[in-house]
Amino acid sequence: MTSDGWEPAAFKARVDEVLRRFVAEEADRFAEIDPALAPVAAQLEAAVADGKRLRAAFCYWGWRAAGQPDSDALVRAAASMELVHAAAVVHDDLIDDSALRHGRPTVHVALRGAVRNRPPDDLRGGAGTDTAARSLAMLVGDLLMALAGQLFAICGLPAAYLGRARPLWTVMARELIAGECLEILRTGAVHDTEISLKVIRYKTAKYTVEQPLLIGGALAGAGARLREGYSAYGLPLGEAFQLRDDLLGLFGDPAVTGKAGTDDVRGHRPTALLAETWRLAGDEDRERLRALLGRQPDAEALETVRGVMRRLKSPDRVEDMIGARVEEALAALHDLVLPARAAAALTALARSVAVRLA
């Protein structure tokens, strides 16, 4: 670790340790209520066991770029962003019926074992195994979001600092949930790139980059010009992050991404990649896609979808969109007067967000 407390791997270790200790204590308190809750408590800990800790990093540098020094209390506040992310992931996997995350069963799949005594379809009108497990997962996500607010509140920063940032939590939650709702409403609907970009802006971009930066800045007392710069940098970069995720979802190696490569096709999700493919496709290709989207594809069907996309060069179009957004973010960063180390870190983060394998 450098003298001012920043190295990417060391920072991640600091955040991991905050999350491990805090969630373990909360999981123990939860399980003490009744022994039957032990499997649910275990999933609270599993939900925060992995991650790049990007949201915490952006919150940290939102603080440092405003001229504040390294702070353990700030790292705890930044770690709360990762609990927001963990909650969103649990809910998102539930909504999308995704089976894998980080190469392991998602929470609603893992919790089937806790309710395996139920029949698949409870003829008495009660919840069967799958329904009960999904209900438990929903509650795990809810509790993780509550814990995010708790960790933020007890991070150790002065109450006046927390008061400056607290209103942004409402904005973050509103926009995140709006994005999830838009994705549900647009799934299987008309393919439109602008609509797809709006979905990812609210579902992912804002709470991944912009809002953590703004919260870190608010904690630090950042002025209006700096906050505007954070948004100008954060929004396009957050969109680039999700556009890369869309490409990895279909063309990445599941052994590296830890996710099933079939989810976007099976779910007929409103991704920009699919919207661009549809825009470029002729009647024959659209018929081919109609026959495959919204169904569980086998290996041949999945390769057919990929083949159509490659032939139409829609992945190249999305790569261009990613590149343009990263350059937009870096240009906004260049316009700000920042401490040298903060500028270097935010530049490196922009590059790492856009160029990744998982």
Side-chain angles (χ1 to χ4, degrees), residues 18-69:
V18 169
L19 292 172
R20 186 193 65 76
R21 290 171 62 100
F22 176 74
V23 176
E25 289 172 3
E26 291 294 334
D28 286 347
R29 293 188 184 107
F30 185 78
E32 284 171 2
I33 295 171
D34 191 287
L37 295 171
V40 183
Q43 288 306 307
L44 284 172
E45 297 187 79
V48 299
D50 298 287
K52 303 173 188 68
R53 310 313 185 201
L54 286 173
R55 292 153 188 88
F58 283 117
C59 183
Y60 178 86
W61 285 108
W63 164 272
R64 294 296 305 276
Q68 294 283 6

Side-chain angles (χ1 to χ4, degrees), residues 112-355:
R112 288 174 185 166
V115 289
R116 61 178 173 267
N117 58 315
R118 298 171 186 245
D121 185 7
D122 193 332
L123 299 179
R124 297 165 298 177
T129 299
D130 288 351
T131 300
R134 293 173 69 85
S135 298
L136 289 173
M138 177 184 68
L139 295 169
V140 168
D142 291 347
L143 183 51
L144 285 165
M145 187 64 83
L147 293 178
Q150 173 68 0
L151 179 56
F152 186 79
I154 65 170
C155 69
L157 289 173
Y161 289 29
L162 298 177
R164 291 194 297 252
R166 193 165 288 115
L168 292 174
W169 278 73
T170 301
V171 177
M172 180 169 57
R174 179 193 307 130
E175 292 178 342
L176 171 57
I177 292 170
E180 285 283 9
C181 290
L182 283 173
E183 183 177 62
I184 293 168
L185 292 167
R186 299 300 187 184
T187 290
V190 175
H191 303 288
D192 184 287
T193 301
E194 286 305 310
I195 288 174
S196 296
L197 289 172
K198 187 171 188 178
V199 169
I200 68 173
R201 185 175 307 127
Y202 284 92
K203 180 190 171 188
T204 303
K206 283 177 165 283
Y207 98 92
T208 297
V209 185
E210 184 198 25
Q211 286 297 342
L213 276 169
L214 289 172
I215 288 171
L219 289 169
R225 173 70 185 93
L226 186 53
R227 296 196 306 271
E228 289 169 3
Y230 285 170
S231 291
Y233 164 89
L235 273 175
L237 188 58
E239 290 179 5
F241 175 87
Q242 185 56 45
L243 289 168
R244 174 62 62 202
D245 225 43
D246 291 346
L247 282 176
L248 290 171
L250 260 174
F251 294 96
D253 180 355
V256 177
T257 65
K259 303 175 187 177
T262 59
D263 284 355
D264 286 353
V265 173
R266 175 180 53 80
H268 197 170
R269 295 174 183 165
T271 66
L273 176 60
L274 180 55
E276 281 297 287
T277 301
W278 194 265
R279 183 181 67 81
L280 296 166
D283 290 344
E284 187 175 335
D285 280 330
R286 288 185 176 185
E287 269 309 306
R288 191 173 287 113
L289 291 170
R290 281 193 192 96
L292 299 173
L293 295 173
R295 296 171 174 81
Q296 179 62 51
D298 56 21
E300 182 180 353
L302 190 59
E303 193 50 45
T304 297
V305 174
R306 289 173 177 150
V308 170
M309 290 178 169
R310 290 190 188 101
R311 181 161 40 79
L312 297 173
K313 300 189 182 304
S314 50
D316 296 340
R317 291 277 303 163
V318 175
E319 287 284 2
D320 290 343
M321 292 163 69
I322 292 169
R325 281 160 174 76
V326 171
E327 290 308 310
E328 182 183 349
L330 291 173
L333 190 64
H334 182 74
D335 288 341
L336 295 172
V337 178
L338 301 177
R341 191 165 293 279
L346 289 169
T347 299
L349 280 166
R351 304 259 183 232
S352 68
V353 159
V355 183

